Amino acid sequence: MAGDCRGRLVFAHPKKVKATLPLQAEAEAFNWATHLVGSYNFPRAVTEGDSKNCVNALKNPEKLSCWRLEAIMADTAFKASQAPTILFKWVPREANKAAHALAK
C-alpha cells in the first residue's frame, strides 16, 4: 500500500507469498515494496513495517539475526541501493492495521 503525505491510500498492489515464518513474510513484504519503488520509479519512498528485525536488518545488515532472511534482505538492500531515495521505518502494529487488513 502506498499513501500520500496526508496518509491517504493512493496505491495498493498485494502479493501472495509462501513463507513458513511470519518474519519471512515481513521480509518478503519489504522486498516487494522495494521492487515496486524501483519498478514505478517513485522519486522518494518510505517503506514502513512492524517488524523491528527486518527494519534493523535493512539499516544494519551486519546485525541480521535470522539466517533464513539473509538472501531476501540482501536482495532488498541491493534493490534499495538502486532506488533514488528509499527509507525503511519501523511502526508499531497498531499504526499498521490497514496493511494487515489488506494482507488478510
Side-chain angles (χ1 to χ4, degrees):
M1 294 179 18
D4 63 12
C5 62
R6 292 181 180 90
R8 294 181 297 211
L9 179 68
V10 295
F11 178 83
H13 198 301
K15 177 183 179 185
K16 194 174 225 179
V17 297
K18 291 183 181 183
T20 56
L21 299 172
L23 189 57
Q24 271 181 291
E26 294 282 353
E28 290 285 358
F30 276 104
N31 189 278
W32 180 237
T34 306
H35 168 78
L36 291 174
V37 168
S39 294
Y40 287 95
N41 295 316
F42 293 129
R44 292 180 316 199
V46 177
T47 305
E48 297 178 340
D50 57 20
S51 171
K52 273 191 177 182
N53 287 336
C54 288
V55 173
N56 289 342
L58 289 164
K59 289 182 175 183
N60 301 304
E62 66 278 357
K63 293 186 179 183
L64 182 62
S65 61
C66 180
W67 63 268
R68 293 181 187 214
L69 304 182
E70 285 179 5
I72 299 167
M73 293 286 98
D75 186 53
T76 305
F78 175 75
K79 288 174 184 171
S81 73
Q82 305 299 307
T85 303
I86 185 166
L87 302 172
F88 299 101
K89 182 179 175 185
W90 175 80
V91 294
R93 182 164 295 216
E94 296 77 36
N96 208 14
K97 288 183 180 181
H100 283 280
L102 181 64
K104 286 182 181 182

